[in-house]
Amino acid sequence: MKYISTLTCMLTGTLLTGCAGDYSFNSNLSSKAVKDYFKAGDVLLIDNNMAPPRPFNPLAMVDGESCQVYADEPPASIADARTKMRLAAANAGGNGVILNNCVEYHDPEGGCLTRVLCIGRAIVMEDK
């Protein structure tokens, strides 16, 4: 019995030391790319019939577009167009965007099988 427990401990130790190597992780993402990826999440999307939660100053008109180029791609979506509009608001220096309208249409001759375009107004809301 003592032989089996000693053998089990030796095998377990060997397995654990074999897994404890010096591994590294390489990625093609830079810290700036990660910041840009999440930038749209810092912009509050406000529906046109709602008042912003804090006083604000208008910045600029912004838009976002979603386009389905090929038939085997997913169709254009309002969510993608709104996210791109929020990113445009963040790039303009805003922390909010008032959504004016989103329009869905089919436009095969214009380069997109389906297209969604959202238009809004980038704003800067005062700090709490």
Side-chain angles (χ1 to χ4, degrees):
M1 188 67 163
K2 185 176 181 181
Y3 174 75
I4 293 175
S5 64
T6 304
L7 184 60
T8 303
C9 286
M10 289 176 59
L11 284 174
T12 303
T14 303
L15 288 173
L16 289 176
T17 57
C19 295
D22 183 25
Y23 298 104
S24 63
F25 174 76
N26 296 319
S27 173
N28 61 351
L29 290 176
S30 67
S31 60
K32 183 177 180 343
V34 170
K35 286 180 186 175
D36 286 344
Y37 182 77
F38 291 107
K39 189 187 287 188
D42 294 333
V43 176
L44 179 64
L45 180 65
I46 304 162
D47 198 32
N48 198 20
N49 58 5
M50 301 288 289
R54 302 189 300 275
F56 68 93
N57 293 316
L59 277 178
M61 294 300 290
V62 291
D63 63 55
E65 179 184 40
S66 177
C67 173
Q68 176 192 11
V69 177
Y70 301 107
D72 62 345
E73 292 180 337
S77 74
I78 291 176
D80 287 344
R82 289 189 326 193
T83 299
K84 290 177 182 175
M85 181 183 63
R86 290 169 66 198
L87 182 59
N91 288 336
N95 59 3
V97 63
I98 300 172
L99 174 65
N100 288 350
N101 197 14
C102 287
V103 178
E104 298 178 63
Y105 55 97
H106 300 279
D107 184 21
E109 287 80 32
C112 297
L113 297 175
T114 61
R115 183 182 304 226
V116 176
L117 180 66
C118 292
I119 299 171
R121 184 170 34 149
I123 62 172
V124 176
M125 293 181 288
E126 293 179 5
D127 292 334
K128 295 180 182 179

